[in-house]
Amino acid sequence: MFNELCCEDKTYRNLVGGKWMDSKTNKFIEIHSPIDGSLVGKVPSMSREEVDEVIKNSKEAQKTWRDVPVNKRAEILYKAADILDERAEEIGAVMALEIAKDIKSAVSEVTRTADYIRFTADAAKAMEGEAIPGDSFPGFKRSKISYVNRVPLGVVLAISPFNYPVNLSASKVAPAVVGGNSVLLKPPTQGSISALFLAQVFKAAGLPDGVLNTVTGKGSEIGDYIVKHTDIDFINFTGSTSVGYHISEITAMKPQLLELGGKDAAIVLEDADLEHAADNIVSGAFSYSGQRCTAVKRILVVDSVADKLVELLKDRIVKLKSGDPREEGTVIVPLIDNKAADFVMELVEDALSKGAKRVIGEKRKDNFVEAMLFDNVTLDMRIAWEEPFGPILPVIRIKNIDEAIDIANRSEYGLQSSVFTKDIDKAFYIADKLEVGTVQVNNKTERGPDHFPFLGVKSSGMGTQGIRYSIEAMTRPKAVVLNLNK
Ligand code: NAP
Ligand code: G3P
């Protein structure tokens, strides 16, 4: 099994038309572990000609796949989920090495993906069409009836980010294929080996040749060519806001779903359970070193309880285990690369130079950054507005609810927010006013459970993920109108 997609010198292959295809250009990208720089493997840097060949294969395969009954498609997904569960430890270990995700989170990403795939199969079987009689509209008779069901869009381009290379690939692939589409998966370069293992699982589960094909290569080199390709019918992208904007600009009129960056605020009111809030904020801000789109990335706390909250946060942060993600219990792990750490430290220096108070954490070595908390953060500081994608957390003190809402909404992002309060009326008042996709009441910001709608507004995205929503996004209604005689 392992040898299919790789060989002795750790050179990986892409899945094309049901076969593991060697690079035709002999151009490769070396993937090194963020943990220790060791070589994880080499993946092909595919050329435009290779991309053309792969997309042609995807387009051809979809013509047959679209006619496979949904119960047969579902059977393959159930099998893929079972294989993922069986290989969770193995694939989790690859992921821990490739993206420095702590081993517990890496393995749970794989098992969560298995659950996601099963639920997708269930949801697809439950999705029915409708029959709409004409006479409910003035001037028409009952003899005119519209039969509506959902049909696939064609070839879906799935582009996933480094921080969830298995889950955020499968959360595109599974709903797309169960909807009758074929998928071209362009995984993150740092994460592509983990994603190739996912592709292997779908192949082993019996997904017909060409229904899932992979294309590895740097997005900055081959990305524009792929997204603009005439035979790509839908783009399902998860990644940074800057790349999302870029894709959207160069692909006018191409249907797409964009899940982008975030700057999720945790709003803490004076009546909040501060212990509970501190637990949730620390977990939400620092798991996987804050490299989650839904990480808590700023705290807006009423001044009267700010000192207490900062103390409680500090007590928790100091206990977070840092180090090698392959060791059980590690939370603060090496960031994905030095460039990411440089950006995080830029925000830190800017905040300190403008008067932020460092509460805890200061060390940075190469791509490792300690968990850091800053108090008295003001709105002239970059850390108040920019997405660090790293383990640094700003505390902004506010006077009242309306100031919290104002500051929260001034962000360019609108993914999620948390509100910590015992007053349900205040919670709903704030939730109603926040310009975000989701408001968590008395909980950290997070995407799961995965059947919930998950969406960003403003610079956080366009369209809605979440199992049923994803199937709907990658299919469309098809109406057949019967005009009977009587
Ligand atoms: P990224 O740099 O935007 O890359 C995301 C994906 O896009 C990668 O596969 C990348 O390929 C590819 N790509 C880059 N340039 C491209 C282009 N011109 N055309 C087509 N594809 C291109 O993001 P990341 O660093 O992997 O992930 C972190 C970001 O994603 C953060 O901003 C985070 O907030 C966001 N994110 C959002 C969600 C959400 O659900 N809202 C979830 C996870 C992450 P390469 O890897 O080869 O560059
Ligand atoms: O950043 C990835 C996004 O999908 C967040 O998922 O479950 O960590 O909130 P989660």
Side-chain angles (χ1 to χ4, degrees):
M1 192 85 115
F2 178 86
N3 291 334
E4 275 183 326
L5 58 91
C6 177
C7 38
E8 309 66 51
D9 62 352
K10 296 188 180 179
T11 303
Y12 283 81
R13 303 179 174 106
N14 275 286
L15 180 63
V16 180
K19 294 183 180 56
W20 294 100
M21 188 176 89
D22 283 311
S23 166
K24 292 184 173 151
T25 60
N26 223 16
K27 263 186 70 187
F28 295 93
I29 305 165
E30 290 195 350
I31 313 287
H32 292 268
S33 174
I35 303 170
D36 55 13
S38 61
L39 179 70
V40 182
K42 294 183 283 187
V43 297
S45 174
M46 290 178 97
S47 65
R48 292 186 172 193
E49 294 68 28
E50 287 177 298
V51 167
D52 287 342
E53 185 189 327
V54 179
I55 295 177
K56 183 164 176 268
N57 179 273
S58 299
K59 189 178 173 74
E60 212 41 49
Q62 196 267 337
K63 290 174 186 161
T64 313
W65 178 245
R66 70 184 305 278
D67 296 328
V68 171
V70 72
N71 58 68
K72 292 285 179 222
R73 298 177 198 160
E75 273 172 29
I76 293 168
L77 291 192
Y78 292 130
K79 178 74 180 143
D82 292 344
I83 298 171
L84 265 180
D85 274 334
E86 288 159 18
R87 299 182 65 186
E89 299 292 332
E90 173 203 354
I91 298 173
V94 172
M95 198 190 306
L97 190 62
E98 188 176 15
I99 65 166
K101 181 169 275 191
D102 62 279
I103 188 66
K104 183 164 175 273
S105 300
V107 173
S108 76
E109 177 177 336
V110 180
T111 54
R112 169 185 183 179
T113 301
D115 292 337
Y116 185 105
I117 293 171
R118 280 188 197 95
F119 199 106
T120 301
D122 294 344
K125 291 192 291 183
M127 288 174 82
E128 280 142 15
E130 58 184 341
I132 308 169
D135 61 342
S136 52
F137 196 86
F140 289 91
K141 295 182 180 165
R142 199 159 183 78
S143 56
K144 180 184 274 293
I145 305 170
S146 179
Y147 285 89
V148 186
N149 66 20
R150 299 196 71 85
V151 297
L153 302 179
V155 179
V156 169
L157 170 59
I159 305 176
S160 46
F162 81 80
N163 64 338
Y164 277 88
V166 169
N167 184 266
L168 286 176
S169 296
S171 63
K172 300 169 175 61
V173 172
V177 298
V178 86
N181 301 285
S182 62
V183 175
L184 177 70
L185 174 61
K186 192 338 254 175
T189 293
Q190 194 81 28
S192 48
I193 293 171
S194 305
L196 290 174
F197 275 86
L198 174 73
Q200 184 184 47
V201 167
F202 276 110
K203 174 175 162 52
L207 201 58
D209 296 351
V211 174
L212 173 61
N213 288 331
T214 63
V215 170
T216 53
K218 287 194 177 140
S220 56
E221 291 172 9
I222 195 67
D224 285 8
Y225 184 73
I226 302 175
V227 298
K228 289 196 288 187
H229 199 287
T230 47
D231 288 334
I232 293 294
D233 299 300
F234 186 87
I235 301 168
N236 193 331
F237 172 82
T238 301
S240 63
T241 291
S242 56
V243 173
Y245 266 124
H246 172 71
I247 291 173
S248 183
E249 276 170 348
I250 65 172
T251 57
M253 287 302 285
K254 189 162 286 202
Q256 51 199 256
L257 208 170
L258 304 174
E259 290 289 346
L260 307 177
K263 188 69 179 181
D264 293 2
I267 297 171
V268 183
L269 303 187
E270 67 283 347
D271 69 335
D273 173 342
L274 293 180
E275 297 277 352
H276 175 76
D279 288 340
N280 269 271
I281 288 170
V282 169
S283 161
F286 294 105
S287 61
Y288 190 34
S289 281
Q291 295 175 110
R292 292 168 50 242
C293 62
T294 49
V296 172
K297 294 176 185 149
R298 52 186 171 148
I299 299 172
L300 306 178
V301 55
V302 175
D303 201 26
S304 59
V305 298
D307 289 345
K308 177 66 182 157
L309 179 67
V310 167
E311 271 315 301
L312 293 172
L313 294 170
K314 183 180 173 184
D315 292 347
R316 285 157 175 79
I317 294 168
V318 75
K319 294 177 187 141
L320 295 175
K321 184 177 175 187
S322 303
D324 190 321
R326 293 165 295 190
E327 285 167 20
E328 204 64 38
T330 307
V331 174
I332 308 302
V333 296
L335 297 185
I336 198 67
D337 55 29
N338 270 320
K339 186 172 158 234
D342 288 345
F343 179 68
V344 166
M345 294 312 290
E346 254 183 59
L347 301 184
V348 169
E349 299 317 319
D350 174 80
L352 293 171
S353 70
K354 291 172 182 170
K357 179 187 165 198
R358 186 198 299 274
V359 176
I360 188 169
E362 62 179 320
K363 290 199 194 73
R364 178 261 170 106
K365 186 174 183 302
D366 301 329
N367 60 321
F368 180 82
V369 177
E370 262 186 334
M372 300 182 191
L373 180 68
F374 297 95
D375 194 358
N376 304 110
V377 168
T378 49
L379 304 185
D380 60 325
M381 299 174 191
R382 292 174 57 190
I383 197 173
W385 306 108
E386 297 183 38
E387 177 185 51
F389 231 59
I392 59 172
L393 184 60
V395 176
I396 299 167
R397 294 170 177 242
I398 52 164
K399 291 188 287 297
N400 53 46
I401 288 175
D402 290 326
E403 188 183 20
I405 293 166
D406 173 53
I407 294 173
N409 286 341
R410 280 162 61 183
S411 170
E412 67 166 300
Y413 296 105
L415 193 58
Q416 297 201 5
S417 285
S418 291
V419 180
F420 292 93
T421 176
K422 294 192 182 87
D423 184 328
I424 195 70
D425 293 321
K426 285 181 183 170
F428 270 83
Y429 172 81
I430 295 168
D432 175 58
K433 300 251 187 274
L434 290 177
E435 295 160 6
V436 293
T438 302
V439 177
Q440 301 277 355
V441 178
N442 291 321
N443 199 78
K444 66 183 178 183
T445 43
E446 62 181 348
R447 174 168 57 112
D450 291 336
H451 66 307
F452 281 9
F454 180 64
L455 67 152
V457 296
K458 303 197 285 185
S459 291
S460 290
M462 185 166 69
T464 304
Q465 300 261 30
I467 294 168
R468 180 168 55 81
Y469 303 87
S470 295
I471 300 172
E472 285 172 354
M474 294 183 280
T475 55
R476 66 171 177 81
K478 177 74 166 285
V480 178
V481 177
L482 279 189
N483 295 280
L484 305 175
N485 293 331
K486 57 176 177 30

